[in-house]
Amino acid sequence: MGQRTALYDAHLAADAKIVDFGGWDMPIHYGSQIQEHNVVREDAGMFDVSHMTVVDITGPQATQYLQYLLANDVAKLQEEGKALYSGMLNDKGGVIDDLIVYRADALGGYRVVVNCATREKDLKWMNEQIAKFDATLTEQPQLAMIAVQGPEAIAKAQLAASADHANIIEQLSIFQGLPCGDWFIGRTGYTGEDGLEIMIPADEAPAFWDALLNVGVKPAGLGARDTLRLEAGMNLYGNDMDETITPWQAGMGWTLALKDDREFIGKEALLAEKAAGIEYKLVGLVLETRGVMRSHQKIIFTASDKTGEVTSGTFSPTLQQSIAMARIPADAGNECAVDMRGKAVPVRIVKMPFVRNGQKIFE
């Protein structure tokens, strides 16, 4: 038996199929992964993401610590609650984890949300680095987290929330999070739709989950979360990047703040890699025939004997065709095929994301 969130009984009551996910007993779906995917694209769905790790960084040198720890620069966060996405790198520039950090003056510094599967190594690394600074890292295990996502997510979450919480939701700009009492409400997500990620005391989570159900928000499991994030061109740690892959090779170059004198872990390695020539890149693939691309399938090229690899692949419920992310040699050319059981099936390289706000956006 794995760890269970405060919403475990609510998942059982909704006939969830429970699977192990990073040591947690989590819902993969509630009957139909495709229906759950579609409701997020068309209306509003909700996910239990209480397995994520929430930590607060406080103290006189909280900013300096995060500027050293992260490849993106928290000095960009000029407004209360504003958030940014960043890689946390090792000395070789590999991605230890990707995370979101919010400026949280009301909490005394910053709030950081990291992945559940990497919790132990993340906290070990973060605590090792913070020893050099006058700052404190405090995990917040008492918090559950519910993600409400979709074109109707904001409106329905306001209906389910108290007047005070609804007022905070009304104030939020995209990629901003603000506290309200013991709650912290972020206008962020992992689906390519508008929505919220709401950190809430665990003992209040079941009642709020029920309130969301009562206004028509449908539960969605990890299966739909994966197809949604892939359509949105969002990386999954352990698939699309890890400690051996740098942000340059993971489509995360846009998160690197390299143009100032700030020193951060991995910067020297990143600059050296760029100067030498970045060998691999992450691209989107579309399969325009039957079949489904899957992780670890080999990519072969017409004009080169070099090969690439699918990092994440699925059938897209929105597009009704298979899509994938793949890491390929930067100079291998654009005509390629995926090796599917020994057969070279042509695929097309496209710019990600595949879907935004429910609509196909690639050419």
Side-chain angles (χ1 to χ4, degrees), residues 24 49-54 98 113-116 139-140 143 145 197 225:
W24 291 80
V49 288
S50 305
H51 56 306
M52 302 288 278
T53 303
V54 179
D98 63 327
V113 181
V114 302
N115 290 304
C116 80
E139 191 176 359
Q140 303 294 338
L143 295 176
M145 193 185 315
E197 292 180 311
R225 187 167 163 83

Side-chain angles (χ1 to χ4, degrees), residues 62-84:
T63 298
Q64 292 92 323
Y65 164 63
L66 288 172
Q67 286 184 299
Y68 176 69
L69 183 75
L70 304 179
N72 210 340
D73 189 356
V74 297
K76 296 177 181 178
L77 302 177
Q78 296 294 309
E79 181 183 350
E80 168 69 352
K82 203 63 182 170
L84 60 74

